[in-house]
Amino acid sequence: MAVGPSVPAMPELGPITLGTAAFGSPAHAAWNIDENAACRLVSRAVDLGITSFDTGSSYGAGLAEQYLGSALARLGRRHEITVATKIFFPSNPGAGDGGLSRRNLIATLDRSLARLRTDYVDLLMIHRFDPLVPIDETLRTLDALVRSGRVRFLGASSMSAWRLMKMLAHQRGHALAPFVAMQGHYNLLYREEEREMLPLTVEEGLIYAAWSPLARGRLAGAAGDRARLAEDRRAVERFDATLDTPVLGALDALSTQTGFPHAQLALAWLIRQGVVAVLGASCPEELSVALAARETAMAIDFGAVEAAYRPHGVIGFDPKDETFGA
């Protein structure tokens, strides 16, 4: 990870963070895992040395935070764990509790802390940019949450690089607690973050974490969840056969050449880029693949896979949604 000299401290994130977007009701989505499975997965992750966990107030309509909180309570090792959560999206469609207003940030953090069974989070990220709320209101509220001790560090997720820089400058100019991490959509099938966002995070000394590191399983090869790839609306919408098939073909060839699983290679490539991979694992075997990726990251030649990439339109957020309001 890239850590610049302007930031005196950082949250403790390893090259692999366990994401919890799959923690939820299996009745809602077949690929979700229930509380008992989530607790076993978290326990196994900690046993393997993965001690950072990523969740969000909207994941599983709050169940992801609840399950993670239950798992951490069973472990009883909160001081050894890094917990990141995110605020922006409503807890349920039509709930009216989304956005980055002072009122919603405070109320949502209260609910998140209760579900997580903790009195602080290590990293609080804004899940998207909110064009309906002045950035001064959002950033001063976030600063107050840090000063209160309920939040250790701040971060952001999936926005235009110029928006992030504007917010960083506002924090700097008003002596507010700064963002120290950025989470974005980045994997072998989607590398648009390399144009502006990744250079910005390096320049400004921010940790960069990649969500959807396996493109919702599409980069896992035969080990991917076929049902999810066919039924998950976002998995379908974010796949462009014309642009993505050449990369998948090159990854197939590299897997055959090296004998390593597709997922191990895709994660190794991310680790090689110096970013944190937020892996939405649903079983212990996927954790083992992730750990193996750390060992092979520097030994693989990804030249042919990288050469197969073709530019994409923006995926993961809509820049036009950022143009109204503040």
Side-chain angles (χ1 to χ4, degrees):
M1 68 184 71
V3 179
S6 61
V7 180
M10 287 283 185
E12 297 78 15
L13 301 179
I16 302 292
T17 287
L18 179 60
T20 64
F23 290 13
S25 171
H28 175 71
W31 51 86
N32 281 349
I33 60 175
D34 63 20
E35 183 170 355
N36 287 330
C39 288
R40 290 193 297 269
L41 186 64
V42 169
S43 178
R44 181 56 178 160
V46 174
D47 287 343
L48 292 172
I50 299 173
T51 57
S52 56
F53 298 87
D54 177 89
T55 190
S57 63
S58 62
Y59 290 172
L63 288 178
E65 289 182 329
Q66 179 182 319
Y67 293 177
L68 179 58
S70 178
L72 296 181
R74 294 185 193 184
L75 287 172
R77 297 162 60 180
R78 176 67 182 91
H79 64 289
E80 300 175 17
I81 304 298
T82 297
V83 175
T85 194
K86 299 180 284 294
I87 295 176
F88 174 75
F89 294 110
S91 56
N92 281 296
D97 59 352
L100 300 179
S101 67
R102 176 178 175 82
R103 176 180 179 180
N104 189 63
L105 284 168
I106 293 173
T108 303
L109 180 62
D110 286 342
R111 291 191 293 270
S112 292
L113 292 176
R115 289 190 291 253
L116 290 165
R117 303 191 197 184
T118 184
D119 55 4
Y120 71 96
V121 292
D122 299 279
L123 178 61
L124 177 64
M125 290 180 279
I126 56 171
H127 214 157
R128 293 295 186 273
F129 178 80
D130 189 344
L132 303 179
V133 178
I135 62 172
D136 186 70
E137 177 180 342
T138 295
L139 298 181
R140 288 188 184 278
T141 303
L142 293 173
D143 177 75
L145 295 176
V146 172
R147 293 177 186 277
S148 75
R150 296 196 296 163
V151 174
R152 291 181 63 216
F153 298 99
L154 300 173
S157 176
S158 290
M159 65 176 66
S160 297
W162 73 270
R163 281 290 187 192
L164 176 61
M165 189 63 244
K166 183 175 180 179
M167 299 180 90
L168 289 170
H170 192 89
Q171 290 168 329
R172 190 173 300 148
H174 293 82
L176 303 176
F179 292 141
V180 301
M182 177 67 195
Q183 189 175 121
H185 184 204
Y186 186 46
N187 55 53
L188 277 170
L189 292 179
Y190 184 78
R191 294 168 50 195
E192 299 308 304
E193 294 283 87
E194 294 175 6
R195 299 182 185 279
E196 294 186 0
M197 185 58 78
L198 280 167
L200 174 60
T201 59
V202 171
E203 180 72 17
E204 294 298 317
L206 274 65
I207 295 169
Y208 185 92
W211 59 260
S212 198
L214 297 179
R216 304 182 94 81
R218 202 170 295 280
L219 288 167
D225 187 333
R226 299 297 104 184
R228 178 171 189 177
L229 291 176
E231 300 170 13
D232 184 336
R233 175 178 59 84
R234 290 193 176 93
V236 174
E237 291 175 349
R238 292 171 182 168
F239 178 65
D240 186 316
T242 300
L243 299 178
D244 297 340
T245 299
V247 176
L248 295 174
L251 186 62
D252 284 340
L254 186 60
S255 179
T256 300
Q257 173 190 339
T258 62
F260 294 132
H262 292 67
Q264 181 177 334
L265 291 171
L267 293 171
W269 178 81
L270 277 173
I271 294 169
R272 190 186 182 108
Q273 309 311 305
V275 307
V276 177
V278 182
L279 178 66
S282 56
C283 64
E285 292 74 19
E286 294 171 355
L287 298 177
S288 298
V289 170
L291 292 178
R294 297 190 306 189
E295 305 305 318
T296 57
M298 305 310 294
I300 305 297
D301 181 358
F302 290 97
V305 182
E306 292 177 334
Y309 182 77
R310 298 294 179 269
H312 289 58
V314 176
I315 301 175
F317 71 100
D318 186 348
K320 295 191 294 295
D321 289 343
E322 300 177 339
T323 58
F324 306 101

